[in-house]
Amino acid sequence: MRRTIRFLRRNETVEVGNVEPRTTLLDWLRLTERSTGTKEGCGEGDCGACTVVLRRLVDGRLVSEPVNACILLLGQVDGAEVLTVEDLAADGRLHPVQQAMVERHGSQCGFCTPGIVMSLLALYETGEAPDRQGVTDALAGNLCRCTGYRPIVAAAFDALGRIEADPFAQRRLDVAGALAALRDEADVFVGDERSFFAAPASTDALARLYLGHPDATLVAGATDVGLWVTKALADLPKIIWLGRVAGLDAVAEEHGTLTLGATVTLARAREALGALDPDLDELMRRFGSQQVRASGTVGGNIANGSPIGDLAPALIALGATLHLRRGDGRRSLPLEDFFLDYRKQDRQPGEFVTGVTVRKPAGRHVRVFKVTKRFDEDISAVMGAFCFDLADNGTVREARIAYGGMAGIPKRARAAEVALTGAAIDDHAAAERAAAALDADFAPLTDHRASAAYRRRVAGNLLMKALMEIATGDDAATRLIAHREVRHAAE
């Protein structure tokens, strides 16, 4: 048992043994270390002003990822190196990213600039040469109200052309060695039985700890729990972080299935799911921001039970099976059966999600559509996922249709599925009956994202769109040119 949180900071090992469980990384940086270059803007992981970079060893390779320090708990940096904007300049010279921002006039008021610089640093550290879409993806989680993005994007391209001037190049081997030295297989427990931050190192240790403290809050990426702290001001005296649990982040493929461990990040899930279908890749690309995808996890998105979470409807359409554990007991169930009511799931006290298994499409036709007010980094008003298995004559053998944003839970459209089963995929009358049957499946609410009438109309239109694309093999009338090209290239 280790009683401290350990991480690297400015070439030194920092050990913290007396900290409130709900302390965020941003608060520690600004209030304890007094590194005030990292800013607090929205306090909910949207604006990116608080972006810092975490470096970790992943499969023996040093990986740099941007994270939102405002909603990341301090304990979550255990085993990582923390980089902030103050750490970039060396020997009186700015980092190439900083220098490019100066030369391109990429900053005006400057409040958002540290976070933008750190997001670009993470991109720079990949050593890749992305296109404009890759640069804008890297910046999607950073809001700038006064400069505008043109000079910032220009600065990104300038900096990415200066990889040979990387001031961190000589330090990487030292950092990798220092991070390797920090690694251990000990369970972390900081605090006492009444209030603690714990990070078990195995599923057995997690099962014992959670069974003994079923009132504890499980944290994976904290992209939602972090808001409980910053916005709801929730008192969370017992926190169990899953990020150290060995094997819980595994990705496995076998017998026509893909299994994602509960702590597989959304960034890694994009790689695995995107290989199954280009629509899944696009869904995951638009899933929050780079910062959110680097922290948020598959299990967290599912166990959170949000009715507007994008992952669950897509996995339900693929026929996903959810795996859970409580003590020594294990069980599995269809993912759609896990969601019972708004914020209520079929999960017992002390029980946790270990992973999810999906069937690979293998000849089935998949379509996934996300409708939002803002294209990037926005929550769905309606999200539709469709998977159809067709007979040789074009009739629908099996239809799996799931929506987010249409009910208090992610939910299958069973009446619509029945209306399509046995019908020809190009049967327009059957398609209209299925769209009308959505009224029997859902009674959507009106909120600030969309009205109930809008949601009903969009849900029906998305179903018709999916059927039209599959029946005709032509999406010229239904997609933006760029998205058509991506899908066609993949197929």
Side-chain angles (χ1 to χ4, degrees), residues 202-208 211 245-248 321-333 346-348 350-355:
S202 68
T203 51
D204 288 342
L206 169 60
R208 288 192 300 270
L211 198 60
V245 179
L248 210 57
T321 298
L322 189 67
H323 310 293
L324 302 104
R325 177 173 175 177
R326 182 177 185 270
D328 293 327
R330 295 169 174 82
R331 68 185 178 109
S332 300
L333 73 163
D346 181 7
R347 186 165 66 91
Q348 302 302 311
E351 189 173 38
F352 57 93
V353 173
T354 59

Side-chain angles (χ1 to χ4, degrees), residues 2-240:
R2 174 154 52 87
R3 296 284 181 175
T4 61
I5 298 161
R6 299 189 309 194
F7 55 95
L8 288 185
R9 185 84 180 106
R10 296 171 181 166
N11 303 319
E12 300 289 340
T13 298
V14 176
E15 295 207 37
V16 180
N18 182 20
V19 64
E20 186 181 0
R22 64 199 289 275
T23 299
T24 65
L25 174 59
L26 181 64
D27 280 351
W28 186 87
L29 287 171
R30 291 182 60 84
L31 303 179
T32 300
E33 191 180 75
R34 305 301 294 174
S35 294
T36 55
T38 305
K39 306 304 182 186
E40 180 170 13
C42 65
E44 56 188 52
D46 280 340
C47 76
C50 67
T51 301
V52 300
V53 167
L54 296 187
R55 281 174 165 171
R56 295 186 186 275
L57 282 178
V58 179
D59 298 328
R61 184 170 57 94
L62 193 63
V63 175
S64 301
E65 292 184 306
V67 297
N68 291 309
C70 69
I71 56 173
L72 196 81
L73 302 183
L74 177 62
Q76 291 177 258
V77 305
D78 187 81
E81 181 188 31
V82 179
L83 289 174
T84 66
V85 71
E86 292 95 339
D87 306 327
L88 304 193
D91 301 324
R93 293 187 299 114
L94 295 177
H95 186 279
V97 168
Q98 295 171 307
Q99 187 63 43
M101 286 284 284
V102 171
E103 293 172 357
R104 286 289 187 168
H105 306 287
S107 177
Q108 286 189 34
C109 81
F111 192 83
C112 65
T113 304
I116 289 172
V117 165
M118 298 309 292
S119 287
L120 293 180
L121 172 71
L123 182 63
Y124 182 93
E125 291 261 294
T126 66
E128 299 173 357
D131 57 12
R132 185 178 180 85
Q133 182 64 63
V135 171
T136 56
D137 282 350
L139 291 169
N142 294 87
L143 300 184
C144 179
R145 298 300 190 192
C146 52
T147 303
Y149 290 93
R150 186 198 57 76
I152 297 172
V153 171
F157 282 117
D158 284 357
L160 294 170
R162 302 175 184 174
I163 298 296
E164 71 283 352
D166 182 1
F168 285 152
Q170 299 302 316
R171 282 194 54 220
R172 285 200 181 90
L173 288 177
D174 294 338
V175 171
L179 290 178
L182 282 184
R183 282 190 164 179
D184 60 29
E185 297 180 358
D187 299 325
V188 174
F189 192 94
V190 179
D192 55 36
E193 292 296 305
R194 294 171 301 170
S195 177
F196 60 78
F197 179 94
S202 68
T203 51
D204 288 342
L206 169 60
R208 288 192 300 270
L209 180 62
Y210 196 32
L211 198 60
H213 296 274
D215 57 332
T217 300
L218 295 184
V219 171
T223 54
D224 191 44
V225 172
L227 275 72
W228 302 359
V229 173
T230 61
K231 296 301 180 181
L233 305 181
D235 182 21
L236 305 176
K238 299 179 181 181
I239 291 176
I240 301 174

Side-chain angles (χ1 to χ4, degrees), residues 278-307:
D279 275 9
L280 293 171
D281 181 69
E282 176 64 7
L283 174 72
M284 300 306 292
R285 186 188 72 81
R286 293 179 59 197
F287 206 121
S289 61
Q290 296 273 27
Q291 295 93 318
V292 168
R293 294 191 294 274
S295 298
T297 66
V298 170
N301 190 257
I302 292 171
N304 180 46
S306 171

